[in-house]
Amino acid sequence: MAEKKASKRSKKGSKASGQASLGSTAVAEPRTEMVRIYIMGKQYEVPKGLTIQKALEYAGMRLLRGCGCRGGFCGACGTVYRTEGDYKLKVALACQTVVEDGMYLTQIPFYPANKATYDLEKLTPSLEAIVENYPEVMRCVQCNTCRKVCPQDLEVMQYIAAAMRGDIARLADLSFDCIMCGLCASRCPGELVQYYIAILGRRLYGKYMMPKAKHLAERLEEIEQGKFDQEIEELMKMSKEDLKRLYDSRDIEPEEELGEALRVGEIND
Amino acid sequence: MEIAYFPGCTLRTKAIGFDNSVRDTAKVFGYDLVEVPDWTCCGATFNLSVDNVMALAPPIRILANARKLGNEVITVCSGCYNVLKRANYTVRNDSEKLAKITDFIEMEYDGDVEVIHYLEFLRDRVGYETIKTNIKRNLEGLKVVPYYGCQLLRPYDEIQLDDPEAPTILDEVLDAMGCTVVDFPHKAECCGNFLSVCTDLTPEGRQAVGEEAATAVSECSFTILDAAARAGADLVALSCPLCLYNLDVAQDQIEKIHFGFRKMPIVYFSQLLAIALGLDTDKYALDSEHHFVDPSAVVRSVAKE
Ligand code: SF4
Ligand code: SF4
Ligand code: SF4
Ligand code: SF4
Ligand code: FES
């Protein structure tokens, strides 16, 4: 887990530097080292160190689909590639992965998926709920292809195996970091849409199995009793400047995680 | 002592009493069954087409994962046992397939894990004498027929657990735990479960497939249950969730067709073992929620203390 978090952080790092290197540089500086990449079979030379996403833009593409957050969270920029001389099929998030020499790229901005409509109130956290909505889950042949293509390095086959035996808690846990990029579904010989099965699992887990947060119930109670009404009213009357000052001088939780999240927020502003 | 264990999907869902009773009874004998890491469904049926190498991927991956814990793995569902054992047999005798499948699953495996059925484990490792000395409840009053079905025994060349026509291992285990074992001629006969799981046996379903076809399904079960009843049995003990479902679900229908038919509970042998060893009978799903024919009255009759 610690490792995963670390990698997320470094992703953010590469994002920031990627942005810096693009800016107005539609033309690379003379001494920039270039690499060859192939976009849908056509060769382009792009500066070394760009992310695949930046490289596509450098090559003149305008990304209308297949690009969202640029930060590794939205799952819009799924990419499939091979490198010269290697049979291995590789995948990446275009916004998170730096180009390599000899990359043959294709973007998978969208992949058709079967999505069930259900009323969560009427389901139970069980195998039945999964099979009723996604009977194709039982077509999984445990080939592990989904695991091999997940850019989040999730144990996709394992979460499907959990779904197949009604282990909703494990399904929810193993799929927690899924960003719904769709790459697993694009490669599944059983034609499953793993991420929709997973989100059903997380919904069931959240609604029926996760321990209820006591402090949340208490706070809701307090709100209902009007404990914060006066405070809100005062805030509503405040001027924009006073609000800003109040915001800047607020108590910030000491945790490193939160601090970093806020700093990233500031950069984006 | 720790030993690798593959429960299989059914044991984690419908047959939870089977799973719990296997783990707990093993513990009584000093064995900790440790789940194979990252296990998946084994595929449930062994694929008979020789070129379908894909079907070998799940069982061989399971065995490669079991290898991380040692060179043997215990399993207890007859279906899982059949699949794992035959997949193992296949790769042990076909190095090309082994190479292909290990290359595909990207794991190392050379066929050196032994797949052991829990019955086999009780016979060879625990031993009947040890079972007898640990008995806490007297099950003499239970007249039980051992039912083996097909997957536990066949094909003999690949499985080699017991004589496929006249098996005795389940008889012996039931005898060691103190049941009154009733012999009957249909113990190694197919129960027809692959018909019943793919036939909708609800009233509407029966109409769709036709009454004749639907009855053919329950007749397979009737032959077995009727013979068991005539032999004087109170219940059937077995080791396969599919057999249990099939013999269990058919009884309502059989009762309608065959006048005088006496319903009979179907249980897993390890559930009886748990009772015999004095474990808490409430823990093993011996109830109407997990069985069409409620076994709780029979259980209560022997588990008073
Ligand atoms: S599980 Fe599937 S949809 Fe989710 S991140 Fe992995 S590949 Fe993408
Ligand atoms: S790719 Fe599909 S069939 Fe293969 S393991 Fe994943 S979910 Fe199962
Ligand atoms: S039925 Fe096995 S997958 Fe399942 S528990 Fe037994 S054959 Fe496996
Ligand atoms: S492995 Fe590839 S070539 Fe072989 S059957 Fe499957 S899809 Fe076809
Ligand atoms: S653009 Fe959102 S994950 Fe890449």
Side-chain angles (χ1 to χ4, degrees), chain A residues 88 127-128 141-145 148 157-158 161 164-166 170, chain B residues 9 12-14 38-41 43 54 57-58 61 103-104 106:
Chain A
K88 279 277 174 205
L127 178 61
E128 283 71 26
V141 291
Q142 285 90 38
C143 64
N144 210 21
T145 310
K148 291 180 195 169
M157 179 178 71
Q158 291 301 329
M164 287 170 79
R165 53 183 191 253
R170 186 168 158 87
Chain B
C9 318
R12 300 305 298 144
T13 49
K14 299 278 177 218
D38 292 336
W39 64 271
T40 62
C41 172
M54 179 62 108
R61 189 187 302 107
D103 185 36
F104 178 74
E106 298 177 352

Side-chain angles (χ1 to χ4, degrees), chain B residues 13-21 266-268 271 280-291 294-296 299:
Chain B
T13 49
K14 299 278 177 218
I16 191 74
F18 198 7
D19 184 43
N20 293 342
S21 58
I266 321 288
V267 300
Y268 299 109
Q271 288 174 313
D280 179 358
T281 48
D282 293 341
K283 280 177 62 191
Y284 305 107
L286 284 154
D287 52 38
S288 57
E289 196 190 320
H290 297 85
H291 296 258
D294 191 349
S296 50
V299 173

Side-chain angles (χ1 to χ4, degrees), chain A residues 53 66-77 93-95 179:
Chain A
Q53 200 161 63
C67 175
C69 66
R70 292 177 181 264
F73 289 103
C74 75
C77 62
L93 295 176
C95 68
I179 55 173

